[in-house]
Amino acid sequence: MRCGFCLPACPTFRETGLEAESPRGRIALMKATVDGIMGPDVPFEEQMSHCLGCRACEPACPADVKYGQLIEQARDAIEEHTTQHRGWVKGVRKLVFQGLFPHPKRMELLGKGLKLYQRSGLQTAVRKTNALKLLPKQLADMEKILPEATGKGVVKTLGTHVPAKGQKVGTVGMFRGCLMDAMFAETNRKTVELLSEAGFDVAIPEAQNCCGALHAHSGETAQAKELAKRNIRAFREAGVDAIISNAGGCGAILVEYDHLLHDEPQWREDAAWFASHTKDISTILWNEGRPLPFAEPVGGEAAAVRVTYQDSCHLKNVMKGGASPRSLLGALPGVELVEMKDAGSCCGSAGIYNITQPEMANRLLEKKMKDANGTAAHYIVTSNPGCLLQMKLGIERHASDKRMEAVHIVDFLHERMAARG
């Protein structure tokens, strides 16, 4: 099946017009390598790395080709056979993928370190002395939009169990993530409070760990499988009705744990249960929770705010969850939801793509901000931490109105809840 319906859906093809930069082209390269027509050389590896992994090609494909699985298999094969990594690259990969992300306590230390950097005066000193100029421009710009860290994860803030308010609807487990809990702990806390307000008992298993998405996308499949098994075991033992994610990038691999572990028969049943019970926070709030008590705005229509929604690629294309966030935002009193042109196209974040492939990421971001500026919105709302940071970077660089603000949908909803009592 080589129809090419995927081409206009692919961000890199739309930017370059090159067949090799399309899903169809990349699949052809994979097949040529498998068939021995070409070798897995540096240009092949680079082309696989150019893919954002946004998976916009999958909904566009009439043959239901699982491109996301193919690109992950290709990257895994590259990591098994590559000799191109320099020594320091191997060291960094080992530190990040094995030494940091799989260990919640180490991620907590990362959050505490960021808090110390931000509040000790060190950040101010670094900026005043222009020390950031020693970093690549992309990393220097990213430092400017880092969230304010708390140094304390959601379990240390709320405990491992939060009861439902009012009549109980069900019991859910919250997937806290690794970077989410280190850098966006307040969003995690507010996620639990929204779920409790909507009628859910919320369990937060301490034994859970990183989802494994970055590992799977970077060719570290064996490590991704081990992380998946720990998460499945943790939430199975918690006895929950559903697993809730507030990060589109995490949710996309959580709903594919069944595929990730498809070649391990002893895990097949539990992995299928986990995948089928994973839901995005917006989906469960809109479809299953009790209506949230949103406050009426002060000042009537004059106080209404304009909001536009930027899709998380993985939430939209993999979890099929693009409608619920818009439904929630549209139901808010005093909020005008303005649809952004091409809101479903990738913003260029794509995990760590904006760091590893800054040129393409910046091209996509500039285009995205043109569309965002066209809405004249006060807020750009999204459902993924990577997208959130990318949109903050876009506002820093390209916003026509610097008062525009990028926010996670959980923070936006929580801020507008009426106080009980």
Side-chain angles (χ1 to χ4, degrees), residues 301-367:
E301 292 184 5
V305 294
R306 290 171 67 89
V307 170
T308 192
Y309 181 72
Q310 165 60 27
D311 282 291
S312 156
C313 294
H314 286 116
L315 176 58
K316 176 179 181 286
N317 299 324
V318 183
M319 299 184 76
K320 314 302 181 189
S324 296
R326 289 175 168 83
S327 298
L328 285 167
L329 292 171
L332 289 172
V335 171
E336 179 189 4
L337 178 61
V338 183
E339 193 68 25
M340 188 194 311
K341 178 186 175 184
D342 213 10
S345 66
C346 187
C347 64
S349 172
I352 56 173
Y353 188 92
N354 55 354
I355 296 174
T356 61
Q357 302 288 338
E359 182 181 351
M360 179 60 72
N362 290 339
R363 286 168 65 175
L364 295 174
L365 179 59
E366 184 174 0
K367 190 173 182 180

Side-chain angles (χ1 to χ4, degrees), residues 5 13-14 36 41 44 83 103 122 125 135 178 191 232 263 272 274 294 356 406 412:
F5 274 75
F13 177 80
R14 287 166 62 178
D41 52 14
F44 173 80
T83 58
H103 305 283
L122 180 59
L135 296 174
C178 51
T191 298
I232 292 168
D263 57 352
F274 190 101
F294 292 119
T356 61
F412 193 78

Side-chain angles (χ1 to χ4, degrees), residues 163-370:
K165 290 186 179 179
Q167 185 178 357
K168 179 181 172 181
V169 174
T171 301
V172 299
M174 185 208 164
F175 187 80
R176 66 188 178 191
C178 51
L179 280 175
M180 276 299 297
D181 217 38
M183 297 177 65
F184 299 91
E186 278 296 288
T187 303
N188 273 356
R189 176 184 67 80
K190 292 173 184 177
T191 298
V192 174
E193 291 176 357
L194 286 174
L195 288 166
S196 173
E197 195 72 52
F200 297 100
D201 279 354
V202 185
I204 315 169
E206 278 198 274
Q208 65 177 294
N209 51 212
C210 173
C211 66
L214 286 177
H215 299 78
H217 301 333
S218 303
E220 303 285 342
T221 305
Q223 183 74 38
K225 288 182 177 182
E226 290 306 310
L227 295 170
K229 291 172 186 176
R230 291 180 213 164
N231 285 327
I232 292 168
R233 191 180 296 115
F235 283 93
R236 266 298 205 188
E237 292 174 355
V240 297
D241 305 322
I243 301 102
I244 307 304
S245 167
N246 59 9
C250 295
I253 194 167
L254 298 180
V255 299
E256 292 192 336
Y257 271 2
D258 52 344
H259 168 72
L260 184 64
L261 297 171
H262 73 278
D263 57 352
E264 301 194 31
Q266 68 273 32
W267 284 95
R268 194 168 293 155
E269 183 180 341
D270 284 343
W273 170 84
F274 190 101
S276 64
H277 285 75
T278 296
K279 301 176 183 180
D280 181 69
I281 176 67
S282 295
T283 300
I284 197 166
L285 288 178
W286 181 251
N287 293 328
E288 300 177 41
R290 292 201 319 268
L292 294 170
F294 292 119
E296 292 291 334
V298 178
E301 292 184 5
V305 294
R306 290 171 67 89
V307 170
T308 192
Y309 181 72
Q310 165 60 27
D311 282 291
S312 156
C313 294
H314 286 116
L315 176 58
K316 176 179 181 286
N317 299 324
V318 183
M319 299 184 76
K320 314 302 181 189
S324 296
R326 289 175 168 83
S327 298
L328 285 167
L329 292 171
L332 289 172
V335 171
E336 179 189 4
L337 178 61
V338 183
E339 193 68 25
M340 188 194 311
K341 178 186 175 184
D342 213 10
S345 66
C346 187
C347 64
S349 172
I352 56 173
Y353 188 92
N354 55 354
I355 296 174
T356 61
Q357 302 288 338
E359 182 181 351
M360 179 60 72
N362 290 339
R363 286 168 65 175
L364 295 174
L365 179 59
E366 184 174 0
K367 190 173 182 180
K368 178 63 63 178
M369 285 308 301
K370 287 181 182 177

